[in-house]
Amino acid sequence: MTTEIDPVDVHAVVDGPAGAPAVVLAGSLGSTLDMWEPQVGPLLAAGLRVIRYDHRGHGGSPVPPGPYRIAGLGADLIRLLDRIGAERASVAGLSLGGMVAMWAAAAHPERIDRLALLCTSALLGPPEGWTSRAGTVRARGTGAVAGAVVDRWLTPAYAERHPDTAARMRAMVAAAPAEGYAGCCEAIAAMDLRPELPGIGAPTLVLSGGEDPATPVEHARAIAGLIPGARLQVLDGGAHLASWECADQVNPLLTAHLTGR
């Protein structure tokens, strides 16, 4: 029988030379590793080894029984580093991925080189909202929430200009396994990472979408205020999936930070 902190072997795609500095990209609730498409080329061009993966309960990863906790998802990330032979890696995480990245940097500082936190939060209440969403998904499937999720991921103007992208993202969320999505909702409901943040020593960049309704800029400010030396950058526009909508801003910031330039 598994427990909430037993790691699983998550589905991952690795690009770039084995000897290059490693960067892991950890995605949002409801996403697959495809959400990082705009970042792969620029990071590879910067000489990095790029590792994208699906959280437990998402995409091609296993759907273990719950309960899920951020520590368990973080243990999955550390196990992934072991599997690919990366003694240390930088991590860029968006939303749920940022929560996992913060946990890993605090719990396993020897494994995390640099940290980039996009559109995320250390405490994202109220918990009742997450448990309610988990109940909806278990009863009706992830398709029941896909439209509302993508309405927060992309600004209305961007979705109108790029209807194919909006439709692709809705399909991505709707394809997530209900139990995996619900379990990750409950992990967010139970999360409070604020006590761990002052102990993070990895150089940290915090990015916030200027029009993010899911994790508004005050969440980014709180994180940047608690992690020693963290740098905060508020993007010009962009909702929750700023890595996609604001890729022209995000990519040079990520590349500079993750390469230490």
Side-chain angles (χ1 to χ4, degrees):
M1 180 178 178
T2 61
T3 72
E4 63 195 38
I5 58 171
D6 284 339
V8 300
D9 287 333
V10 292
H11 171 243
V13 171
V14 182
D15 294 293
V23 57
V24 179
L25 304 179
S28 177
L29 173 68
S31 74
T32 69
L33 54 80
D34 291 337
M35 67 155 274
W36 293 107
E37 279 182 16
Q39 281 67 56
V40 176
L43 293 175
L44 287 174
L48 297 170
R49 185 187 188 200
V50 180
I51 301 100
R52 295 172 289 154
Y53 76 98
D54 297 328
H55 293 293
R56 64 168 65 189
H58 287 66
S61 290
V63 187
Y68 295 5
R69 294 293 181 265
I70 297 300
L73 277 74
D76 297 343
L77 169 58
I78 299 301
R79 180 156 167 160
L80 173 60
L81 296 183
D82 293 338
R83 281 169 47 211
I84 64 173
E87 185 176 337
R88 288 176 64 84
S90 296
V91 183
L94 187 144
S95 193
L96 175 62
M99 300 166 192
V100 172
M102 286 185 277
W103 180 89
H108 295 275
E110 76 286 356
R111 305 300 300 272
I112 307 303
D113 188 15
R114 305 179 77 85
L115 205 56
L117 305 172
L118 294 77
C119 305
T120 191
S121 178
L123 177 70
L124 192 57
E128 296 79 15
W130 292 107
T131 54
S132 174
R133 194 192 300 191
T136 297
V137 165
R138 286 194 175 103
R140 300 167 51 203
T142 44
V145 301
V149 167
V150 175
D151 286 347
R152 292 188 293 272
W153 277 12
L154 305 171
T155 62
Y158 183 89
E160 185 175 347
R161 292 195 309 272
H162 303 277
D164 291 348
T165 297
R168 179 183 178 186
M169 296 304 169
R170 286 192 294 270
M172 179 187 289
V173 176
E179 189 55 39
Y181 188 100
C184 288
C185 286
E186 291 164 344
I188 296 171
M191 175 194 72
D192 184 357
L193 293 168
R194 294 173 300 174
E196 278 68 56
L197 299 190
I200 291 177
T204 301
L205 172 67
V206 184
L207 299 179
S208 176
E211 299 178 44
D212 182 359
T215 52
V217 67
E218 55 262 30
H219 292 265
R221 287 197 183 103
I223 291 168
L226 287 169
I227 297 178
R231 182 165 66 93
L232 171 64
Q233 178 78 45
V234 180
L235 304 170
D236 181 18
H240 194 53
L241 203 66
S243 59
W244 197 286
E245 184 170 352
C246 298
D248 58 335
Q249 298 175 67
V250 168
N251 289 345
L253 290 166
L254 270 187
T255 300
H257 178 69
L258 295 173
T259 58
R261 295 171 188 159

